[in-house]
Amino acid sequence: MEKNFIKVRTIKDIIISLSLIITGAVISFAFNGIGVVFGGYSLIILGIVLAFVLKRAYKESESGELYLKRELSFQQKMKPTIIAALKSDPNTINISENGNGQDLRLVIFYSKSTQKAYIQLLEYIPFQYSPCTSMGEYEIAQIKNLIK
């Protein structure tokens, strides 16, 4: 199963950018003082930069559904355990081992609104991460331990 996820803006991202721009405009035009006006202009510039940069969600290209992403990293010795858990019950993956190594990366795309998740295990082979497993589809209830 090949899934293609594209980074997109959420409503929250747009609200953050717009609120910074509006707050900066109000501050810079409502107050007199070089420091305050400079601060207002800085907020406007920050809001504009964030409007182009801030993208937190991922859109699945075929269905158009929005997903959030979580990545967990593990040591190489965890590979057989994780692969076995992905085949049977992903909730049994020991996330306390997360962050102990950079050899394996478990990528999770999940959507609480559709109650679906996609998980893939990637292995670091010098200069890139290569897939160890195909993209598997799960229900949110099956992976609730991984996304908390």
Side-chain angles (χ1 to χ4, degrees):
M1 173 186 322
E2 186 67 30
K3 291 288 183 181
N4 188 19
F5 293 95
I6 302 165
K7 255 186 153 176
V8 294
R9 289 176 191 81
T10 63
I11 298 297
K12 191 175 185 180
D13 298 337
I14 295 168
I15 290 172
I16 289 170
S17 298
L18 285 177
S19 65
L20 285 172
I21 293 170
I22 292 169
T23 304
V26 168
I27 288 173
S28 63
F29 294 120
F31 297 103
N32 289 336
I34 296 172
V36 176
V37 171
F38 179 72
Y41 289 151
S42 298
L43 284 178
I44 292 171
I45 292 169
L46 179 63
I48 291 170
V49 168
L50 286 180
F52 290 107
V53 175
L54 196 59
K55 294 180 180 182
R56 290 193 224 174
Y58 290 82
K59 186 181 203 179
E60 204 275 311
S61 59
E62 289 180 14
S63 66
E65 297 170 345
L66 290 179
Y67 291 86
L68 297 176
K69 181 180 181 181
R70 177 147 192 227
E71 291 185 356
L72 304 171
S73 56
F74 298 99
Q75 294 177 354
Q76 184 68 31
K77 67 180 182 179
M78 295 286 295
K79 183 178 177 180
T81 310
I82 294 172
I83 291 175
L86 289 176
K87 290 179 182 176
S88 60
D89 183 16
N91 259 342
T92 60
I93 296 173
N94 186 5
I95 61 169
S96 64
E97 295 288 327
N98 177 29
N100 290 340
Q102 296 294 321
D103 297 329
L104 298 174
R105 182 183 293 169
L106 189 65
V107 180
I108 305 164
F109 293 98
Y110 64 96
S111 172
K112 292 184 179 179
S113 62
T114 61
Q115 295 294 309
K116 285 197 292 189
Y118 295 97
I119 301 177
Q120 185 173 27
L121 182 66
L122 304 170
E123 180 179 23
Y124 184 75
I125 299 174
F127 308 111
Q128 71 179 8
Y129 279 95
S130 301
C132 291
T133 63
S134 61
M135 186 74 72
E137 183 176 345
Y138 301 92
E139 297 292 323
I140 288 289
Q142 293 176 294
I143 64 156
K144 64 183 173 200
N145 185 36
L146 298 176
I147 60 173
K148 61 178 170 174

